[in-house]
Amino acid sequence: CFYWIFSGKIADRLSKGIRAAPTDALLADLSPGDARSKAFSLCQSLATFGGVLGSSVTAAMLFRGVSYETIFLLAAVPSALAIFVLFTAVKQPELSSEAGESSTNGAASSSSKKSSGGFGEVLKNAASLPWQFYFSALIVSTLYIARFSESFVILRAKSLGWETAALPLLLTSNQILQGLFTYPMGMLADNLGRKQILTVGFLVLLAANAVFIFVNHPVGAVIGFLIVGLHMSMTQANTKALLTEYINPTQRGTAFAMFAVFSGFALSFGNTLAGILNDKYAGIGCFYGGAAATTAATILLLIYFSVVGNKQQKA
């Protein structure tokens, strides 16, 4: 039984790895440049509320004694509906290889989207991505080092006196806050500029780490986790929009796939480092590491906007 569950979890993560980059690329294709933060934020808000709804329905079914097999079977229904909508209602727009979104990317602007030529072609496409994309990917990957698993927050909450049965309330409150604020933050980013929203969002994560480190009271876990939710609302979707700023429309899939690789390594490194620091510094070491990584990401973000500027395209 364990091996079936283990295999299913691997298949679940594999499916996420396959669909993530094409989903983000398609969303970017369907949204204008001056409203891209709004589009990514709306998608993120709906996904967050969907997670809250799914968890609530699952909890209700478990309380009624519904078997795990039935729950997993029912969980396949939304996926089937999503595939049906994708193939019947979503139309991928025709893309131009003009430099409307990548004025400094002459190499990428000279070719249109074509069929894959194997791994060599993938490397060639990755090499032709503009340096601005790799700079922004470095910023977001550095931030992801600070976004270690929420399990460390759970451990901190337990050390502050939270009962195990009450811990899901922390996760739910965090997700609800994200769902409520992500879309408004996307609108603000499109109207005020991503620089302002992202910079404040990075600083908010610094504040969350400070709360987890210095507030030794059960309420500190609530405040800290809610601040993390606010940070996610301000940055999760807007960083994706940032990644698309200088990408040629025909290279978005390659760009998001490359970022998925970078972010995967960053998350793995961040969680490993958080575990080591947590063991060494009495349950709060991970937050010192998170603060350091967030500070580095903030500095890189400010350098990026000073060198590249705050470009938000119309197409």
Side-chain angles (χ1 to χ4, degrees), residues 167-196:
L167 291 174
L169 295 176
L170 277 178
L171 302 176
T172 302
S173 61
N174 175 285
Q175 289 188 321
I176 291 175
L177 188 144
Q178 284 189 53
L180 290 173
F181 283 94
T182 298
Y183 182 63
M185 291 301 171
M187 295 181 63
L188 283 176
D190 284 331
N191 295 328
L192 300 180
R194 293 182 190 123
K195 175 182 178 180
Q196 291 81 353

PDB file of all heavy atoms in Angstrom, residues 167-196:
ATOM      1  N   LEU A 167      -3.523  23.268  14.468  1.00  0.00           N
ATOM      2  CA  LEU A 167      -2.564  23.733  13.465  1.00  0.00           C
ATOM      3  C   LEU A 167      -3.179  23.946  12.073  1.00  0.00           C
ATOM      4  O   LEU A 167      -2.787  24.876  11.372  1.00  0.00           O
ATOM      5  CB  LEU A 167      -1.385  22.751  13.376  1.00  0.00           C
ATOM      6  CG  LEU A 167      -0.472  22.729  14.612  1.00  0.00           C
ATOM      7  CD1 LEU A 167       0.572  21.629  14.482  1.00  0.00           C
ATOM      8  CD2 LEU A 167       0.202  24.085  14.800  1.00  0.00           C
ATOM      9  N   PRO A 168      -4.140  23.102  11.638  1.00  0.00           N
ATOM     10  CA  PRO A 168      -4.750  23.364  10.328  1.00  0.00           C
ATOM     11  C   PRO A 168      -5.401  24.742  10.223  1.00  0.00           C
ATOM     12  O   PRO A 168      -5.533  25.279   9.121  1.00  0.00           O
ATOM     13  CB  PRO A 168      -5.801  22.248  10.196  1.00  0.00           C
ATOM     14  CG  PRO A 168      -5.251  21.129  11.024  1.00  0.00           C
ATOM     15  CD  PRO A 168      -4.592  21.800  12.190  1.00  0.00           C
ATOM     16  N   LEU A 169      -5.810  25.315  11.359  1.00  0.00           N
ATOM     17  CA  LEU A 169      -6.394  26.649  11.327  1.00  0.00           C
ATOM     18  C   LEU A 169      -5.381  27.686  10.840  1.00  0.00           C
ATOM     19  O   LEU A 169      -5.741  28.648  10.153  1.00  0.00           O
ATOM     20  CB  LEU A 169      -6.910  27.037  12.716  1.00  0.00           C
ATOM     21  CG  LEU A 169      -8.072  26.201  13.264  1.00  0.00           C
ATOM     22  CD1 LEU A 169      -8.402  26.632  14.686  1.00  0.00           C
ATOM     23  CD2 LEU A 169      -9.291  26.343  12.357  1.00  0.00           C
ATOM     24  N   LEU A 170      -4.111  27.498  11.191  1.00  0.00           N
ATOM     25  CA  LEU A 170      -3.059  28.396  10.715  1.00  0.00           C
ATOM     26  C   LEU A 170      -2.970  28.353   9.193  1.00  0.00           C
ATOM     27  O   LEU A 170      -2.913  29.390   8.525  1.00  0.00           O
ATOM     28  CB  LEU A 170      -1.712  27.999  11.323  1.00  0.00           C
ATOM     29  CG  LEU A 170      -1.379  28.498  12.732  1.00  0.00           C
ATOM     30  CD1 LEU A 170      -0.023  27.946  13.160  1.00  0.00           C
ATOM     31  CD2 LEU A 170      -1.373  30.016  12.778  1.00  0.00           C
ATOM     32  N   LEU A 171      -2.950  27.145   8.650  1.00  0.00           N
ATOM     33  CA  LEU A 171      -2.828  26.986   7.201  1.00  0.00           C
ATOM     34  C   LEU A 171      -4.042  27.570   6.488  1.00  0.00           C
ATOM     35  O   LEU A 171      -3.914  28.257   5.463  1.00  0.00           O
ATOM     36  CB  LEU A 171      -2.674  25.501   6.850  1.00  0.00           C
ATOM     37  CG  LEU A 171      -1.489  24.772   7.485  1.00  0.00           C
ATOM     38  CD1 LEU A 171      -1.523  23.288   7.117  1.00  0.00           C
ATOM     39  CD2 LEU A 171      -0.175  25.393   7.042  1.00  0.00           C
ATOM     40  N   THR A 172      -5.226  27.305   7.022  1.00  0.00           N
ATOM     41  CA  THR A 172      -6.448  27.794   6.387  1.00  0.00           C
ATOM     42  C   THR A 172      -6.514  29.319   6.401  1.00  0.00           C
ATOM     43  O   THR A 172      -6.861  29.949   5.397  1.00  0.00           O
ATOM     44  CB  THR A 172      -7.684  27.211   7.086  1.00  0.00           C
ATOM     45  OG1 THR A 172      -7.612  25.781   7.043  1.00  0.00           O
ATOM     46  CG2 THR A 172      -8.959  27.671   6.402  1.00  0.00           C
ATOM     47  N   SER A 173      -6.171  29.923   7.545  1.00  0.00           N
ATOM     48  CA  SER A 173      -6.205  31.391   7.625  1.00  0.00           C
ATOM     49  C   SER A 173      -5.206  32.019   6.672  1.00  0.00           C
ATOM     50  O   SER A 173      -5.486  33.042   6.042  1.00  0.00           O
ATOM     51  CB  SER A 173      -5.924  31.838   9.064  1.00  0.00           C
ATOM     52  OG  SER A 173      -4.640  31.422   9.487  1.00  0.00           O
ATOM     53  N   ASN A 174      -4.052  31.388   6.529  1.00  0.00           N
ATOM     54  CA  ASN A 174      -3.045  31.870   5.587  1.00  0.00           C
ATOM     55  C   ASN A 174      -3.570  31.832   4.156  1.00  0.00           C
ATOM     56  O   ASN A 174      -3.425  32.800   3.393  1.00  0.00           O
ATOM     57  CB  ASN A 174      -1.777  31.025   5.730  1.00  0.00           C
ATOM     58  CG  ASN A 174      -0.703  31.373   4.715  1.00  0.00           C
ATOM     59  OD1 ASN A 174      -0.813  31.026   3.543  1.00  0.00           O
ATOM     60  ND2 ASN A 174       0.347  32.034   5.159  1.00  0.00           N
ATOM     61  N   GLN A 175      -4.212  30.729   3.788  1.00  0.00           N
ATOM     62  CA  GLN A 175      -4.706  30.577   2.419  1.00  0.00           C
ATOM     63  C   GLN A 175      -5.873  31.523   2.133  1.00  0.00           C
ATOM     64  O   GLN A 175      -5.976  32.071   1.027  1.00  0.00           O
ATOM     65  CB  GLN A 175      -5.128  29.125   2.175  1.00  0.00           C
ATOM     66  CG  GLN A 175      -3.949  28.176   2.101  1.00  0.00           C
ATOM     67  CD  GLN A 175      -4.384  26.789   1.670  1.00  0.00           C
ATOM     68  OE1 GLN A 175      -5.432  26.282   2.070  1.00  0.00           O
ATOM     69  NE2 GLN A 175      -3.581  26.152   0.844  1.00  0.00           N
ATOM     70  N   ILE A 176      -6.741  31.713   3.110  1.00  0.00           N
ATOM     71  CA  ILE A 176      -7.860  32.631   2.904  1.00  0.00           C
ATOM     72  C   ILE A 176      -7.351  34.049   2.687  1.00  0.00           C
ATOM     73  O   ILE A 176      -7.828  34.774   1.803  1.00  0.00           O
ATOM     74  CB  ILE A 176      -8.827  32.568   4.106  1.00  0.00           C
ATOM     75  CG1 ILE A 176      -9.551  31.219   4.128  1.00  0.00           C
ATOM     76  CG2 ILE A 176      -9.837  33.710   4.042  1.00  0.00           C
ATOM     77  CD1 ILE A 176     -10.432  31.023   5.347  1.00  0.00           C
ATOM     78  N   LEU A 177      -6.359  34.454   3.490  1.00  0.00           N
ATOM     79  CA  LEU A 177      -5.794  35.786   3.308  1.00  0.00           C
ATOM     80  C   LEU A 177      -5.166  35.930   1.926  1.00  0.00           C
ATOM     81  O   LEU A 177      -5.334  36.953   1.257  1.00  0.00           O
ATOM     82  CB  LEU A 177      -4.763  36.068   4.409  1.00  0.00           C
ATOM     83  CG  LEU A 177      -4.223  37.505   4.467  1.00  0.00           C
ATOM     84  CD1 LEU A 177      -3.992  37.932   5.906  1.00  0.00           C
ATOM     85  CD2 LEU A 177      -2.926  37.647   3.684  1.00  0.00           C
ATOM     86  N   GLN A 178      -4.448  34.894   1.492  1.00  0.00           N
ATOM     87  CA  GLN A 178      -3.868  34.929   0.144  1.00  0.00           C
ATOM     88  C   GLN A 178      -4.943  35.070  -0.918  1.00  0.00           C
ATOM     89  O   GLN A 178      -4.815  35.866  -1.857  1.00  0.00           O
ATOM     90  CB  GLN A 178      -3.073  33.649  -0.111  1.00  0.00           C
ATOM     91  CG  GLN A 178      -1.724  33.579   0.562  1.00  0.00           C
ATOM     92  CD  GLN A 178      -0.923  32.386   0.067  1.00  0.00           C
ATOM     93  OE1 GLN A 178      -0.739  32.189  -1.127  1.00  0.00           O
ATOM     94  NE2 GLN A 178      -0.448  31.578   0.993  1.00  0.00           N
ATOM     95  N   GLY A 179      -6.009  34.286  -0.772  1.00  0.00           N
ATOM     96  CA  GLY A 179      -7.075  34.354  -1.762  1.00  0.00           C
ATOM     97  C   GLY A 179      -7.736  35.718  -1.839  1.00  0.00           C
ATOM     98  O   GLY A 179      -8.109  36.183  -2.915  1.00  0.00           O
ATOM     99  N   LEU A 180      -7.863  36.381  -0.695  1.00  0.00           N
ATOM    100  CA  LEU A 180      -8.525  37.688  -0.657  1.00  0.00           C
ATOM    101  C   LEU A 180      -7.653  38.808  -1.225  1.00  0.00           C
ATOM    102  O   LEU A 180      -8.161  39.729  -1.873  1.00  0.00           O
ATOM    103  CB  LEU A 180      -8.923  38.033   0.781  1.00  0.00           C
ATOM    104  CG  LEU A 180     -10.057  37.203   1.393  1.00  0.00           C
ATOM    105  CD1 LEU A 180     -10.221  37.545   2.864  1.00  0.00           C
ATOM    106  CD2 LEU A 180     -11.364  37.444   0.644  1.00  0.00           C
ATOM    107  N   PHE A 181      -6.342  38.742  -0.990  1.00  0.00           N
ATOM    108  CA  PHE A 181      -5.480  39.882  -1.301  1.00  0.00           C
ATOM    109  C   PHE A 181      -4.662  39.734  -2.589  1.00  0.00           C
ATOM    110  O   PHE A 181      -4.122  40.724  -3.081  1.00  0.00           O
ATOM    111  CB  PHE A 181      -4.526  40.147  -0.132  1.00  0.00           C
ATOM    112  CG  PHE A 181      -5.172  40.847   1.027  1.00  0.00           C
ATOM    113  CD1 PHE A 181      -5.690  40.119   2.096  1.00  0.00           C
ATOM    114  CD2 PHE A 181      -5.296  42.223   1.053  1.00  0.00           C
ATOM    115  CE1 PHE A 181      -6.296  40.752   3.162  1.00  0.00           C
ATOM    116  CE2 PHE A 181      -5.905  42.874   2.112  1.00  0.00           C
ATOM    117  CZ  PHE A 181      -6.403  42.132   3.172  1.00  0.00           C
ATOM    118  N   THR A 182      -4.552  38.529  -3.142  1.00  0.00           N
ATOM    119  CA  THR A 182      -3.684  38.351  -4.307  1.00  0.00           C
ATOM    120  C   THR A 182      -4.164  39.155  -5.511  1.00  0.00           C
ATOM    121  O   THR A 182      -3.370  39.844  -6.165  1.00  0.00           O
ATOM    122  CB  THR A 182      -3.577  36.859  -4.666  1.00  0.00           C
ATOM    123  OG1 THR A 182      -2.984  36.153  -3.575  1.00  0.00           O
ATOM    124  CG2 THR A 182      -2.699  36.670  -5.897  1.00  0.00           C
ATOM    125  N   TYR A 183      -5.452  39.080  -5.818  1.00  0.00           N
ATOM    126  CA  TYR A 183      -5.951  39.807  -6.988  1.00  0.00           C
ATOM    127  C   TYR A 183      -5.824  41.324  -6.817  1.00  0.00           C
ATOM    128  O   TYR A 183      -5.343  42.009  -7.742  1.00  0.00           O
ATOM    129  CB  TYR A 183      -7.392  39.416  -7.280  1.00  0.00           C
ATOM    130  CG  TYR A 183      -7.961  40.084  -8.509  1.00  0.00           C
ATOM    131  CD1 TYR A 183      -7.409  39.850  -9.773  1.00  0.00           C
ATOM    132  CD2 TYR A 183      -9.041  40.959  -8.426  1.00  0.00           C
ATOM    133  CE1 TYR A 183      -7.908  40.464 -10.906  1.00  0.00           C
ATOM    134  CE2 TYR A 183      -9.549  41.572  -9.560  1.00  0.00           C
ATOM    135  CZ  TYR A 183      -8.984  41.320 -10.788  1.00  0.00           C
ATOM    136  OH  TYR A 183      -9.478  41.940 -11.909  1.00  0.00           O
ATOM    137  N   PRO A 184      -6.212  41.898  -5.667  1.00  0.00           N
ATOM    138  CA  PRO A 184      -5.993  43.344  -5.493  1.00  0.00           C
ATOM    139  C   PRO A 184      -4.522  43.744  -5.623  1.00  0.00           C
ATOM    140  O   PRO A 184      -4.208  44.816  -6.168  1.00  0.00           O
ATOM    141  CB  PRO A 184      -6.517  43.618  -4.080  1.00  0.00           C
ATOM    142  CG  PRO A 184      -7.531  42.558  -3.850  1.00  0.00           C
ATOM    143  CD  PRO A 184      -6.992  41.346  -4.536  1.00  0.00           C
ATOM    144  N   MET A 185      -3.611  42.904  -5.158  1.00  0.00           N
ATOM    145  CA  MET A 185      -2.192  43.220  -5.280  1.00  0.00           C
ATOM    146  C   MET A 185      -1.742  43.181  -6.731  1.00  0.00           C
ATOM    147  O   MET A 185      -0.860  43.941  -7.144  1.00  0.00           O
ATOM    148  CB  MET A 185      -1.358  42.246  -4.439  1.00  0.00           C
ATOM    149  CG  MET A 185      -1.537  42.436  -2.944  1.00  0.00           C
ATOM    150  SD  MET A 185      -1.079  44.106  -2.404  1.00  0.00           S
ATOM    151  CE  MET A 185      -1.648  44.076  -0.703  1.00  0.00           C
ATOM    152  N   GLY A 186      -2.337  42.300  -7.508  1.00  0.00           N
ATOM    153  CA  GLY A 186      -2.036  42.278  -8.940  1.00  0.00           C
ATOM    154  C   GLY A 186      -2.517  43.536  -9.636  1.00  0.00           C
ATOM    155  O   GLY A 186      -1.820  44.093 -10.505  1.00  0.00           O
ATOM    156  N   MET A 187      -3.696  43.996  -9.261  1.00  0.00           N
ATOM    157  CA  MET A 187      -4.212  45.249  -9.823  1.00  0.00           C
ATOM    158  C   MET A 187      -3.314  46.426  -9.452  1.00  0.00           C
ATOM    159  O   MET A 187      -3.018  47.288 -10.292  1.00  0.00           O
ATOM    160  CB  MET A 187      -5.641  45.493  -9.331  1.00  0.00           C
ATOM    161  CG  MET A 187      -6.653  44.468  -9.814  1.00  0.00           C
ATOM    162  SD  MET A 187      -8.329  44.822  -9.215  1.00  0.00           S
ATOM    163  CE  MET A 187      -8.657  46.392  -9.995  1.00  0.00           C
ATOM    164  N   LEU A 188      -2.874  46.456  -8.190  1.00  0.00           N
ATOM    165  CA  LEU A 188      -1.980  47.537  -7.768  1.00  0.00           C
ATOM    166  C   LEU A 188      -0.665  47.494  -8.530  1.00  0.00           C
ATOM    167  O   LEU A 188      -0.115  48.542  -8.898  1.00  0.00           O
ATOM    168  CB  LEU A 188      -1.715  47.419  -6.262  1.00  0.00           C
ATOM    169  CG  LEU A 188      -2.825  47.893  -5.328  1.00  0.00           C
ATOM    170  CD1 LEU A 188      -2.443  47.610  -3.875  1.00  0.00           C
ATOM    171  CD2 LEU A 188      -3.104  49.386  -5.520  1.00  0.00           C
ATOM    172  N   ALA A 189      -0.145  46.296  -8.765  1.00  0.00           N
ATOM    173  CA  ALA A 189       1.115  46.175  -9.498  1.00  0.00           C
ATOM    174  C   ALA A 189       0.979  46.701 -10.913  1.00  0.00           C
ATOM    175  O   ALA A 189       1.895  47.348 -11.443  1.00  0.00           O
ATOM    176  CB  ALA A 189       1.571  44.717  -9.512  1.00  0.00           C
ATOM    177  N   ASP A 190      -0.158  46.442 -11.561  1.00  0.00           N
ATOM    178  CA  ASP A 190      -0.370  46.948 -12.921  1.00  0.00           C
ATOM    179  C   ASP A 190      -0.559  48.455 -12.932  1.00  0.00           C
ATOM    180  O   ASP A 190      -0.156  49.140 -13.878  1.00  0.00           O
ATOM    181  CB  ASP A 190      -1.588  46.266 -13.552  1.00  0.00           C
ATOM    182  CG  ASP A 190      -1.280  44.842 -14.006  1.00  0.00           C
ATOM    183  OD1 ASP A 190      -0.115  44.570 -14.346  1.00  0.00           O
ATOM    184  OD2 ASP A 190      -2.201  44.005 -13.996  1.00  0.00           O
ATOM    185  N   ASN A 191      -1.167  48.990 -11.881  1.00  0.00           N
ATOM    186  CA  ASN A 191      -1.464  50.423 -11.844  1.00  0.00           C
ATOM    187  C   ASN A 191      -0.316  51.256 -11.284  1.00  0.00           C
ATOM    188  O   ASN A 191      -0.021  52.345 -11.793  1.00  0.00           O
ATOM    189  CB  ASN A 191      -2.737  50.673 -11.021  1.00  0.00           C
ATOM    190  CG  ASN A 191      -3.969  50.071 -11.657  1.00  0.00           C
ATOM    191  OD1 ASN A 191      -4.054  49.994 -12.882  1.00  0.00           O
ATOM    192  ND2 ASN A 191      -4.922  49.641 -10.854  1.00  0.00           N
ATOM    193  N   LEU A 192       0.333  50.761 -10.231  1.00  0.00           N
ATOM    194  CA  LEU A 192       1.395  51.528  -9.576  1.00  0.00           C
ATOM    195  C   LEU A 192       2.793  51.135 -10.049  1.00  0.00           C
ATOM    196  O   LEU A 192       3.720  51.929  -9.952  1.00  0.00           O
ATOM    197  CB  LEU A 192       1.311  51.343  -8.054  1.00  0.00           C
ATOM    198  CG  LEU A 192       0.020  51.793  -7.377  1.00  0.00           C
ATOM    199  CD1 LEU A 192       0.107  51.529  -5.872  1.00  0.00           C
ATOM    200  CD2 LEU A 192      -0.255  53.273  -7.645  1.00  0.00           C
ATOM    201  N   GLY A 193       2.928  49.913 -10.518  1.00  0.00           N
ATOM    202  CA  GLY A 193       4.237  49.413 -10.920  1.00  0.00           C
ATOM    203  C   GLY A 193       4.647  48.226 -10.083  1.00  0.00           C
ATOM    204  O   GLY A 193       4.394  48.177  -8.874  1.00  0.00           O
ATOM    205  N   ARG A 194       5.279  47.253 -10.729  1.00  0.00           N
ATOM    206  CA  ARG A 194       5.686  46.040 -10.011  1.00  0.00           C
ATOM    207  C   ARG A 194       6.812  46.313  -9.030  1.00  0.00           C
ATOM    208  O   ARG A 194       6.952  45.606  -8.032  1.00  0.00           O
ATOM    209  CB  ARG A 194       6.109  44.967 -11.024  1.00  0.00           C
ATOM    210  CG  ARG A 194       4.948  44.475 -11.872  1.00  0.00           C
ATOM    211  CD  ARG A 194       5.316  43.384 -12.840  1.00  0.00           C
ATOM    212  NE  ARG A 194       4.196  43.165 -13.751  1.00  0.00           N
ATOM    213  CZ  ARG A 194       4.272  43.254 -15.066  1.00  0.00           C
ATOM    214  NH1 ARG A 194       5.429  43.537 -15.637  1.00  0.00           N
ATOM    215  NH2 ARG A 194       3.208  43.060 -15.812  1.00  0.00           N
ATOM    216  N   LYS A 195       7.640  47.292  -9.320  1.00  0.00           N
ATOM    217  CA  LYS A 195       8.760  47.588  -8.432  1.00  0.00           C
ATOM    218  C   LYS A 195       8.259  47.871  -7.024  1.00  0.00           C
ATOM    219  O   LYS A 195       8.778  47.315  -6.048  1.00  0.00           O
ATOM    220  CB  LYS A 195       9.558  48.779  -8.956  1.00  0.00           C
ATOM    221  CG  LYS A 195      10.681  49.220  -8.027  1.00  0.00           C
ATOM    222  CD  LYS A 195      11.417  50.438  -8.569  1.00  0.00           C
ATOM    223  CE  LYS A 195      12.503  50.896  -7.614  1.00  0.00           C
ATOM    224  NZ  LYS A 195      13.235  52.075  -8.118  1.00  0.00           N
ATOM    225  N   GLN A 196       7.262  48.725  -6.895  1.00  0.00           N
ATOM    226  CA  GLN A 196       6.773  49.117  -5.580  1.00  0.00           C
ATOM    227  C   GLN A 196       6.162  47.923  -4.839  1.00  0.00           C
ATOM    228  O   GLN A 196       6.461  47.685  -3.664  1.00  0.00           O
ATOM    229  CB  GLN A 196       5.740  50.238  -5.716  1.00  0.00           C
ATOM    230  CG  GLN A 196       6.305  51.572  -6.164  1.00  0.00           C
ATOM    231  CD  GLN A 196       6.516  51.666  -7.664  1.00  0.00           C
ATOM    232  OE1 GLN A 196       6.362  50.684  -8.395  1.00  0.00           O
ATOM    233  NE2 GLN A 196       6.889  52.843  -8.140  1.00  0.00           N
TER     234      GLN A 196
END
